[in-house]
């Protein structure tokens, strides 16, 4: 199958306006007849539910947290990109588009990326209108700072808590719609199946995480806004509850999964301290605006950082990438940090860390300015490490962070299942093989506030409202399947905990499908994962029952999906015989160690179709064409 992204014809700057004029509308009087399910209440989900509710649709919003305020978007600390050119330093819509395509190593669809850049300015206007407390300069204008992969300052920020503040804005809009009755909220409720009727998405089956009750909800369209899947590595910067279940079970119902091997390793995380950890803590990329990354020049130098003179320090990002320095993109910066640690020049326990040093910035700007810009991040670092980063450098190391892969969607954000729309990190559409910092918040809000309202109306205008109810046979079968799955997990009564299996899978994935991959390591993963999965279904211990609050049961279902999904990731990585962005195959690198793309053979989106748990998925391709950006060797030197 050659996939059609349904990109509008015409010049790139005119495509979105053209599509909006082409699409059918639903009149205000008819909107209330349609029901839309939105799963997830992070930035994409909260903004989509609030926007669709404001327009007059009947919206049902689902999240497994106790409140939408706990959506994982709060962890995106550093900022949100927008092409407003407030600093007057040369930014533009086209330059944001160019940086994003290049940052993704030319593995994203041009039309989607350009649209994202086009609506980025509206994201900021919306947030300001909601009262989001963005930083301001002395004159009162919104301030900007730089992020990796750009030579302009286009990142709007609220100290080191931008995601949290943006989510509070979206949360306020969502709660307003809940109060007026256009949105019904279902907290502590987890989606466990997508219901497809006559080839179209018509609802979901869920489990109440407090009572254990399994129920179904019918709708005229479904939006998945459930985030990424890097918890497949067990230790990641994601919240411990973040998972792949919603998107993976949609995949098993017919939605294609695109580029699952494209995962991002973030260079600025607090290093692992031991097996006791259930997650890792992200130190915002924004810190690299003023922090300088370095290691000792000599292998095994055990001196305290303050005792190592400048002449004995290797500021390796500044040395290797002088044009971008410490703000080189994440994938490149992560590999550079791993390289110096592999040479034996890493710092801290086990030599798995590099320094992020603010001494120069504090000397130049004063400690007060650094506190004003990043104070909460320094406080968080101090609470975790018991170290004062104003007086000594932070220690950081790369860790799994963001998923560029996700369910395949066309230009309208619609999956291969009609009526199933996928927003934010849950889809694959905008970031290619590597996401630039501060673009996750931009995409989630762009999809939710400014895109889905048009594209979902185009679908609904052709649909009869309320055509399917939960009495349909497919809903009955879905509930039975979910109950059977739960009973099967509870009946195993083995000897190993769910966390043991998750931790073992995570180690296996990190060692074989992590920062550096090879044909041998990927084949090893494809051999080991099925064995681990088989043992899981024979020997996992899930305590409690299915008719109560049971967090072990919740985790068991998610880990069961990870055990299948990890195999899909490894297969995708094995088939892509090139290096690009976050996908680094050691067999394919340039003489200087950078990623070596193969545009002749792999310039496409790899979208996989589920064929069965024990059967190989089928590969489909969407060719990527670059008419506005010239394919080139990606260089930040």
């Amino acid at each position: 199958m050659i996939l059609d992204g349904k990109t509008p014809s015409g010049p790139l700057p005119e495509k979105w306006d053209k599509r909006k004029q082409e699409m059918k509308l639903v009149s205000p009087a008819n909107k209330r007849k349609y029901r839309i399910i939105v799963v997830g209440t992070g930035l994409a989900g909260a903004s989509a539910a609030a926007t669709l509710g404001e327009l007059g649709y009947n919206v049902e919003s689902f999240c497994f947290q106790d409140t939408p305020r706990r959506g994982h978007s709060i962890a995106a600390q550093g900022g949100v990109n927008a092409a407003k050119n407030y600093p007057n330093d040369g930014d533009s819509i086209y330059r944001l588009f160019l940086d994003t395509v290049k940052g993704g190593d030319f593995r994203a669809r041009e039309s989607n990326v350009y649209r994202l850049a086009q609506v980025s300015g509206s994201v900021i206007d919306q947030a300001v209108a909601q009262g989001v407390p963005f930083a301001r300069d002395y004159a009162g204008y919104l301030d900007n700072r730089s992020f990796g992969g750009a030579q302009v300052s286009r990142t709007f920020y609220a100290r080191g808590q931008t995601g949290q503040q943006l989510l509070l804005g979206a949360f306020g809009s969502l709660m307003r719609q809940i109060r007026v009755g256009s949105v019904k909220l279902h907290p502590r409720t987890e989606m466990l199946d997508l219901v497809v009727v006559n080839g179209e998405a018509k609802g979901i089956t869920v489990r109440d995480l407090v009572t254990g009750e399994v129920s179904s909800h019918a709708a005229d369209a479904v939006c998945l806004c459930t985030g990424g899947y890097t918890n497949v590595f067990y230790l990641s910067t994601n919240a411990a509850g973040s998972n792949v279940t919603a998107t993976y079970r949609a995949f098993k119902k017919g939605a294609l999964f695109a580029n699952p091997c494209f995962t991002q390793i973030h260079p600025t995380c607090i290093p692992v301290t031991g097996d006791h950890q259930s997650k890792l803590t992200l130190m915002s990329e924004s810190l690299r605006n003023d922090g300088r990354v370095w290691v000792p020049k000599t292998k095994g130098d055990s001196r305290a950082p303050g005792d190592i003179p400048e002449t004995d320090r290797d500021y390796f990002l500044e040395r290797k990438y002088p044009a971008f320095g410490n703000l080189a993109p994440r994938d490149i910066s992560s590999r550079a940090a791993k390289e110096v640690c592999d040479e034996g020049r890493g710092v801290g326990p086990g030599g798995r860390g590099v320094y992020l040093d603010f001494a120069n910035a504090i000397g130049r700007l004063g400690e007060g300015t650094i506190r004003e810009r990043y104070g909460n991040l320094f406080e968080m670092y101090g609470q975790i490490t018991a170290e004062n980063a104003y007086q000594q450098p932070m220690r950081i190391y790369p860790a799994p962070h963001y998923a560029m892969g996700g369910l395949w969607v066309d230009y309208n954000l619609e999956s291969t299942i009609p009526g199933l729309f996928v927003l934010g990190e849950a889809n694959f559409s905008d970031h290619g093989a590597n996401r630039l910092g501060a673009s996750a918040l931009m995409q989630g809000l762009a999809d939710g506030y400014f895109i889905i309202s048009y594209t979902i109306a185009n679908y609904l205008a052709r649909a009869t409202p309320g055509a399917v109810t939960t009495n349909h046979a497919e809903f009955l079968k879905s509930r039975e399947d979910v109950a059977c799955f739960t009973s099967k997990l509870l009946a195993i009564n083995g000897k190993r905990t769910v966390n043991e299996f998750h931790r073992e899978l995570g180690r296996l994935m990190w060692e074989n499908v992590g920062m550096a991959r090879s044909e041998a390591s990927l084949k090893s993963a494809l051999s080991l994962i099925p064995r681990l999965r088989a043992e899981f279904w024979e020997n996992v211990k899930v305590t409690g029952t299915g008719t109560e609050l049971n967090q072990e049961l919740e985790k068991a279902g998610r880990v069961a999906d990870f055990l299948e999904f990890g195999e899909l990731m490894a297969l995708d990585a094995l088939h892509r015989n090139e290096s690009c962005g976050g996908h680094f195959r050691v067999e394919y690198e340039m003489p200087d160690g950078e990623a070596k793309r193969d545009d002749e053979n792999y310039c496409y989106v790899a979208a996989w179709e589920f064929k069965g748990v024990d059967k190989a998925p089928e590969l489909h391709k969407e060719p990527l064409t670059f008419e506005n950006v010239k394919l080139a060797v990606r260089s930040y030197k």
Side-chain angles (χ1 to χ4, degrees), residues 183-370:
V183 177
K184 182 178 180 181
L185 179 66
H186 300 269
R188 301 295 287 132
T189 307
E190 183 168 26
M191 171 185 160
L192 295 180
D193 195 21
L194 176 74
V195 182
V196 178
V197 179
N198 297 325
E200 300 189 56
K202 290 299 178 184
I204 61 174
T205 297
V206 301
R207 179 175 182 270
D208 185 310
L209 297 183
V210 177
T211 67
E213 179 186 3
V214 174
S215 61
S216 294
H217 300 261
D220 301 295
V222 177
C223 296
L224 293 188
C225 313
T226 51
Y229 49 79
T230 53
N231 272 354
V232 70
F233 294 103
Y234 183 67
L235 288 180
S236 82
T237 65
N238 284 195
S242 297
N243 61 82
V244 75
T245 288
T247 50
Y248 189 73
R249 297 194 184 182
F251 164 68
K252 294 175 82 168
K253 283 298 184 74
L256 300 191
F257 213 112
N259 300 334
C261 77
F262 286 169
T263 52
Q264 182 173 79
I265 309 300
H266 198 297
T268 319
C269 301
I270 297 178
V272 177
T273 57
D275 286 343
H276 63 281
Q277 288 180 270
S278 60
K279 75 175 299 294
L280 298 175
T281 303
L282 173 68
M283 289 286 100
S284 170
E285 181 177 309
S286 62
L287 292 167
R288 291 195 279 142
N289 272 280
D290 290 304
R292 300 179 70 192
V293 179
W294 65 275
V295 291
K297 287 183 177 179
T298 305
K299 178 179 178 180
D301 190 335
S302 59
R303 288 177 291 178
D307 295 334
I308 301 177
E310 288 288 318
T311 54
D312 292 344
R313 300 181 179 187
D314 179 13
Y315 293 92
F316 57 91
L317 291 179
E318 298 172 29
R319 169 175 57 81
K320 295 183 69 172
Y321 311 106
F324 286 76
N326 295 296
L327 287 174
R330 291 176 177 178
D331 58 323
I332 287 173
S333 300
S334 291
R335 285 197 294 273
K338 180 179 184 296
E339 181 181 290
V340 296
C341 290
D342 288 347
E343 292 172 359
R345 297 192 287 137
V347 302
R352 289 291 160 186
V354 299
Y355 288 129
L356 181 61
D357 196 337
F358 292 86
N360 285 2
I362 290 172
R364 184 177 72 254
L365 302 169
E367 185 176 313
T369 298
I370 300 302

Side-chain angles (χ1 to χ4, degrees), residues 1-261:
M1 183 193 303
I2 302 298
L3 293 168
D4 178 12
K6 298 180 182 177
T7 296
S9 60
L12 191 62
E14 300 174 14
K15 289 183 185 294
W16 179 226
D17 286 338
K18 184 174 187 294
R19 177 52 51 86
K20 287 190 288 186
Q21 295 304 318
E22 294 171 347
M23 288 190 288
K24 293 184 177 294
L25 301 176
V26 178
S27 72
N30 285 335
K31 284 188 173 76
R32 69 178 69 97
K33 300 176 183 178
Y34 290 95
R35 184 169 302 279
I36 301 171
I37 284 173
V38 180
V39 186
T41 55
L43 283 180
S47 60
T51 299
L52 295 170
E54 178 72 34
L55 286 170
Y57 294 104
N58 286 303
V59 180
E60 291 197 65
S61 173
F62 294 80
C63 65
F64 64 70
Q65 299 93 344
D66 57 353
T67 169
R69 288 182 60 179
R70 294 188 184 275
H72 184 61
S73 300
I74 63 170
Q77 303 154 326
V80 52
N81 287 333
K84 280 185 169 290
N85 194 33
Y86 281 0
N88 198 30
D89 59 355
D91 201 11
S92 64
I93 290 172
Y94 182 81
R95 188 170 291 278
L96 174 53
F97 157 73
L98 181 66
D99 286 347
T100 305
V101 170
K102 177 184 175 184
D105 217 353
F106 302 92
R107 291 294 177 263
R109 189 189 293 145
E110 276 193 340
S111 56
N112 286 66
V113 178
Y114 194 88
R115 177 178 61 187
L116 177 63
Q118 278 181 301
V119 303
S120 64
S122 298
V123 168
I124 303 304
D125 296 340
Q126 175 82 3
V128 170
Q130 292 171 332
V132 172
F134 285 124
R136 295 179 180 266
D137 63 19
Y138 182 76
Y141 295 104
L142 296 183
D143 203 2
N144 290 105
R145 58 188 176 201
S146 298
F147 256 66
Q151 291 181 306
V152 297
S153 295
R154 63 164 68 100
T155 304
F156 296 77
Y157 65 98
R159 297 185 74 190
Q161 50 188 249
T162 314
Q164 179 176 346
Q165 296 300 331
L166 287 170
L167 187 58
L168 286 172
F171 170 75
S173 296
L174 175 60
M175 294 307 293
R176 178 179 178 275
Q177 296 307 314
I178 291 171
R179 182 169 183 175
V180 300
S182 63
V183 177
K184 182 178 180 181
L185 179 66
H186 300 269
R188 301 295 287 132
T189 307
E190 183 168 26
M191 171 185 160
L192 295 180
D193 195 21
L194 176 74
V195 182
V196 178
V197 179
N198 297 325
E200 300 189 56
K202 290 299 178 184
I204 61 174
T205 297
V206 301
R207 179 175 182 270
D208 185 310
L209 297 183
V210 177
T211 67
E213 179 186 3
V214 174
S215 61
S216 294
H217 300 261
D220 301 295
V222 177
C223 296
L224 293 188
C225 313
T226 51
Y229 49 79
T230 53
N231 272 354
V232 70
F233 294 103
Y234 183 67
L235 288 180
S236 82
T237 65
N238 284 195
S242 297
N243 61 82
V244 75
T245 288
T247 50
Y248 189 73
R249 297 194 184 182
F251 164 68
K252 294 175 82 168
K253 283 298 184 74
L256 300 191
F257 213 112
N259 300 334
C261 77

